[in-house]
Amino acid sequence: MTTAIGVEAVGIGKHFGSFHALSDVSLKVRPGSVHGLLGENGAGKSTLVKCLLGYYRTDEGQFIVDGREASIERPADADALGLGMVYQHFTLVPSMTVAENLVMSRQNVPNIVNWRSEIAGLKRFMETMPFKVPLEVQVGSLAAGERQKTEIVKQLYLQRRFLVLDEPTSVLTPPEATEMLGLVRDLAHSGALTIVIITHKLKEVAAFVDEVTVLRRGRMAGSGSVRDLGPADLTAMMIGEPHAPKNPERQGIPSAEARLVVSGLRTAPDAGRKGLSIGSIEVHAREIVGIAGVSGNGQKDLVEVLGGQRPAESGSVTVDGAPYRASRTESLAHDVRVLPEEPLRNGCVPSMTVVDNLNLRGFDVGPGKSHRSWLDRAGMAARARNMIAAYGIRTPSPSAPIGVLSGGNVQRCVLARELDGDVRLLIVANPCFGLDVKAVAETRTRIMAARNAGTAVLLISEDLDEILELADRIVVMHEGQVVHEMPAKGADPQEIGRHMLGQH
Amino acid sequence: MSGSIATVLLAMLAGSLRVSTPFLFVSLGECLTEKSGRINLGNEGVLVLGAMVAYATSYETGSPWAGVAAAALAGLLLGGLHGEVCSLAKVNDVAMGIAIMLAGTGIAFFFGKPYVQPSATLLPGIPFGFWSASPQVRNALLVCPLFLVGIAAAIGLHWCFNATRAGLRIRIVGDSQDAALALGLPIDRTRFIATACGSALAGIGGAFLSLYYPGSWNEGLSSGQGLMAVALVVFSRWNPINCIYASLLFGAAGALGPSLQTVGITWGYYLFYAAPYVVTLVVLIITARGGRSLRGMPGQLSIGR
Ligand SMILES: Nc1ncnc2c1ncn2[C@@H]1O[C@H](COP(=O)(O)OP(=O)(O)OP(=O)(O)O)[C@@H](O)[C@H]1O
Ligand SMILES: [Mg+2]
């Protein structure tokens, strides 16, 4: 059994070029506590913990670990001190199995790995975990939620004494999140481990966190014990003003016109996972169809088929009655937009600038959908500036590569691009992944506004609350199949939950 | 008729064991390098240099095995140069590989001039066909020890990638730079070692060319085996065991022309000699269809990123 250690940060400063991501930030984490690190998108939370973990080098200030001043220059230094982290961007090796990833993350890997005994040991370890991950499956074929669980399991496997979780629950279902957070909190309170958790979900803060530190635009905005602070205080600290989220208003009823029709869709099984086998899904104009399901039950495949990233084996997808294969011409003709899972990987070119990425849909399209051969650089920059302002994207500059943006800001960029202009069909996967409270409310309002204006929306989300709030109709997926369909009004979350787990 | 079919098949078996060996070594070397996330087109040059160095060393010392060792060493050095230069910032490994290829062949031709005429001691074959009275069978089953070394190397490499710390580290570096950084692995050093060792294997492939089959040194010795190994690695799906099968297939295709000649079929001579290249094309086209991405491709390869 390990013993928890405390960490203190004093006067930390960090800049990227002339951009100050952190200035004079201090943080004090008690051993054996759960500490929340809060702040809006781009506030500098990830940067702060990456400095602590040796991923970045600080420009000013120092860290005190377990009462002693620690110089952390490399990840290995943090490792030796027992500090660990689950990054917002995944750091597992996609082509390796879960077991290989776990074993290789250890410090003392033997020269020759005896897989039989390692697997046996891992199985025994996995018995003690609150959630299971398959050991002999390639990480690349896991859905985001399962990969996130694997990241957490890996840190517990490494017996960390201090663990940072960067938005760990964004891809977990609520029961999974509750279970996972409950487990780490109990571990912390038993004195085995100290936890720093970065999150945008105030409910989680209230239920699982002891103390918080709030950052705003790279500076300290406050700190204190959760018992003394209510959600309103926290929100005010985070965004500098009190904020009352209101549910977006639904106007009008779905029209009879079916805009997206998926029927008899099948895909090949992939890496030990069943392929899709969907009888039919229809999305009408002015309607939001929410697809609920535990992560890894085919939602990712469905988005990939609709986004043109995965071929269908059989079946048909039609938009406005015409066959749809997600070519650029077709998506332009029918105004189909897609917000995929993991947008940095699936919807962006990380090394291209924010301006270029914001214009990926329209850079070659002139007025009236005409074809454009010469790029209109000035127009692209102007459009990007508008989107940056309208969506509150925080970027060092419009010409920074999009890969350096904070998680939430990448999400905002892709949202801005996909919601811009006329949209007839919108396919969104986990639209609020990694967004702060204010941005979540704005995004939901925007999706609802698009619906009210007549857009057909297919919303794939692992957040059941989000589906219940936004959808007109709910479809439940399990193992690649549609297992249940119901109107959202008056739907019973318990019943949906049962279908999600395959109990029909 | 059935007699001549048997003759052709036997000749093809014999030929494929011979022709496949250099393919096997170069593709294993290339596989090792690519697993670390780097591509080495220079292996064509390494192959030619290895052939020259092996022949010259065997001629000077009288020991073909010293020649094999010298060829491996030459490959190690040339591959090490590639690895070192590629770890500098902004060096493209494909362009650098082509430079290494030209340098390797150039050096080999320059220093190899005096060795075109004299005959060196060649590697002995192991007579697995001793039980048969038929000279064709005996000839077909005369196997070069290097072929067996190659098979052992493939199995060893496969085991290494799956069950040793070094092999798993090479895979991490080749597949995810982020993960390698988070684990604090030395990325450049790992790639350097993988590139140098991969080229040493390619050098041994060259030694086979000059010291066993065809068993002489001249400037037309390699006909692009080093480059075709890159294609071979692709449809072996970066798996050393598959490299064995792929090499045998290529070997058989390469042996088609000469085998048909043994029974007197001479039409389409050049056509049959082109068989390995046609096989390359066909196999690449077939394996590249359908799938969304090349299964098994290391994520950090510059051609895939
Ligand atoms: N490598 C980098 N180069 C340049 N700028 C960077 C780099 N990394 C982060 N930044 C900038 O620093 C700021 C803080 O980023 P950080 O990732 O710490 O935000 P965050 O608080 O974690 O936000 P989120 O909630 O969206 O994850 C952002 O504006 C980001 O664009
Ligand atoms: Mg972040």
Side-chain angles (χ1 to χ4, degrees), chain B residues 241-257:
Chain B
I241 300 295
N242 289 346
C243 283
I244 302 178
Y245 304 129
S247 305
L248 283 173
L249 178 69
F250 269 57
L256 187 62

Side-chain angles (χ1 to χ4, degrees), chain A residues 40-47 49-50 85 88-89 166-167 198 200 405-409 434:
Chain A
E40 50 185 351
N41 291 132
K45 308 176 295 292
S46 297
T47 306
V49 289
K50 280 183 184 167
M85 164 153 171
Q88 204 170 359
H89 300 286
D166 195 350
E167 300 185 32
I198 299 179
H200 294 293
L405 262 54
S406 77
N409 279 305

Side-chain angles (χ1 to χ4, degrees), chain A residues 14-17 19-22 37-50 56 88-89 166-167 198-200 215 217-218 393-397 400-412 433-436:
Chain A
K14 171 77 195 166
H15 54 82
F16 298 105
F19 179 83
H20 286 263
L22 293 174
L37 187 55
L38 313 183
E40 50 185 351
N41 291 132
K45 308 176 295 292
S46 297
T47 306
L48 176 62
V49 289
K50 280 183 184 167
Y56 290 150
Q88 204 170 359
H89 300 286
D166 195 350
E167 300 185 32
I198 299 179
T199 180
H200 294 293
L215 298 184
R217 304 194 163 244
I393 296 165
R394 192 157 186 246
T395 168
S397 100
I402 200 167
V404 307
L405 262 54
S406 77
N409 279 305
V410 172
Q411 185 82 7
R412 287 177 194 217
F433 184 119
L435 295 184
D436 60 39

Side-chain angles (χ1 to χ4, degrees), chain A residues 91 95 100 111 113 115 309, chain B residues 162-165 171 175 179 292:
Chain A
T91 57
S95 75
E100 285 173 331
N111 274 321
V113 183
W115 280 113
Q309 287 183 302
Chain B
N162 286 302
T164 67
R165 180 173 61 181
R171 282 173 59 197
D175 206 51
R292 201 154 81 84

Side-chain angles (χ1 to χ4, degrees), chain B:
Chain B
M1 187 62 206
S2 71
S4 63
I5 290 182
T7 314
V8 170
L9 287 181
L10 209 55
M12 271 183 74
L13 171 69
S16 88
L17 291 187
R18 280 177 200 142
V19 180
S20 65
T21 310
F23 278 124
L24 180 56
F25 276 99
V26 190
S27 63
L28 288 179
E30 188 65 35
C31 181
L32 174 57
T33 307
E34 290 190 14
K35 276 278 192 195
S36 78
R38 190 174 280 161
I39 209 162
N40 185 2
L41 295 181
N43 276 343
E44 172 73 10
V46 172
L47 189 79
V48 176
L49 184 66
M52 191 284 286
V53 168
Y55 199 76
T57 310
S58 172
Y59 177 73
E60 301 292 349
T61 65
S63 158
W65 289 106
V68 173
L73 185 67
L76 196 73
L77 293 177
L78 201 58
L81 176 68
H82 181 65
E84 190 55 41
V85 175
C86 286
S87 57
L88 303 176
K90 297 201 172 163
V91 173
N92 178 286
D93 52 356
V94 172
M96 184 60 202
I98 292 173
I100 291 281
M101 174 168 89
L102 297 175
T105 38
I107 297 170
F109 291 172
F110 181 76
F111 289 103
K113 272 275 181 293
Y115 298 102
V116 175
Q117 283 301 325
S119 57
T121 323
L122 301 185
L123 286 166
I126 306 175
F128 283 111
F130 59 86
W131 45 270
S132 169
S134 146
Q136 280 109 333
V137 173
R138 278 167 171 268
N139 182 36
L141 293 180
L142 190 67
V143 174
C144 177
L146 278 184
F147 177 71
L148 304 179
V149 173
I151 302 277
I155 296 169
L157 214 50
H158 182 72
W159 174 76
C160 176
F161 285 143
N162 286 302
T164 67
R165 180 173 61 181
L168 286 159
R169 283 187 167 184
I170 289 175
R171 282 173 59 197
I172 296 178
V173 168
D175 206 51
S176 166
Q177 192 137 348
D178 274 348
L181 281 173
L183 290 175
L185 298 183
I187 295 178
D188 283 339
R189 196 169 76 220
T190 309
R191 290 195 179 143
F192 171 78
I193 294 172
T195 312
C197 293
S199 287
L201 283 169
I204 298 179
F208 178 91
L209 284 178
S210 63
L211 291 180
Y212 192 81
Y213 181 84
S216 65
W217 158 248
N218 60 63
E219 297 183 354
L221 197 57
S222 159
S223 41
Q225 278 106 323
L227 287 175
M228 272 157 60
V230 176
L232 240 134
V233 173
V234 174
F235 65 80
S236 304
R237 290 286 176 268
W238 290 267
N239 176 337
I241 300 295
N242 289 346
C243 283
I244 302 178
Y245 304 129
S247 305
L248 283 173
L249 178 69
F250 269 57
L256 187 62
S259 316
L260 287 175
Q261 255 192 326
T262 58
V263 292
I265 298 179
T266 48
W267 59 268
Y269 177 85
Y270 289 104
L271 201 62
F272 289 120
Y273 266 85
Y277 309 98
V278 176
V279 170
T280 312
L281 277 177
V282 170
V283 176
L284 277 180
I285 290 168
I286 292 175
T287 52
R289 270 196 333 196
R292 201 154 81 84
S293 59
L294 283 174
R295 179 83 60 80
M297 176 153 92
Q300 294 297 322
L301 273 190
S302 59
I303 47 165
R305 257 186 293 159

